[in-house]
Amino acid sequence: MLVLPTLLYRCNIITEQDKCRITSAEMELTRRMAKYTWQDYKISDVILSELKINPVAKKIQNCRNKWIQQFQHTDRDRLPHLIMKYQPCEKQSQGQPLKRL
């Protein structure tokens, strides 16, 4: 019950690799709920439609879209907009060069 709100709380930093892992874990659980094994050769979409469940990846995408819409409606002078449009003025130093042995 607590997994979905936790995922949606930090959904802006989820990578594509994380999405694949989340989707595979979700499908493993939904197959168990529907009492199918991987040998039954049921397509994931069929299982989700039988159980009337929306995929977690779709919920994450909806949450991201809502955040972007909310972000676009804020004032341009606010800190989030300034952070998104920040570009450094000068080149940063690379630090000390590596020593050869």
Side-chain angles (χ1 to χ4, degrees), residues 3 16 26 38 41 44 47 68 93 95 99:
V3 175
E16 290 299 319
E26 177 191 19
W38 61 272
Y41 299 109
S44 301
I47 295 173
I68 290 171
S93 65
K99 292 183 181 179

Side-chain angles (χ1 to χ4, degrees), residues 2-84:
L2 192 60
V3 175
L4 188 60
T6 306
L7 278 173
L8 295 179
Y9 176 70
R10 298 293 290 194
C11 70
N12 291 332
I13 60 171
I14 293 176
T15 62
E16 290 299 319
Q17 185 178 12
D18 293 336
K19 274 188 193 177
C20 291
R21 289 178 180 167
I22 290 168
T23 304
S24 63
E26 177 191 19
M27 286 314 303
E28 183 178 338
L29 290 173
T30 53
R31 282 182 187 278
R32 286 183 187 173
M33 286 174 24
K35 298 182 180 170
Y36 291 121
T37 64
W38 61 272
Q39 296 172 340
D40 293 333
Y41 299 109
K42 284 283 188 174
I43 299 173
S44 301
D45 296 333
V46 173
I47 295 173
L48 289 173
S49 65
E50 283 180 7
L51 296 175
K52 298 178 183 173
I53 298 175
N54 291 331
V56 173
K58 192 173 185 179
K59 291 179 183 179
I60 290 172
Q61 190 62 41
N62 289 341
C63 187
R64 282 183 177 183
N65 290 342
K66 285 180 184 179
W67 184 85
I68 290 171
Q69 288 174 355
Q70 180 182 0
F71 175 76
Q72 289 174 345
H73 290 298
T74 59
D75 294 333
R76 302 280 181 213
D77 298 336
R78 294 192 63 198
L79 189 60
H81 280 282
L82 298 176
I83 291 172
M84 291 292 281

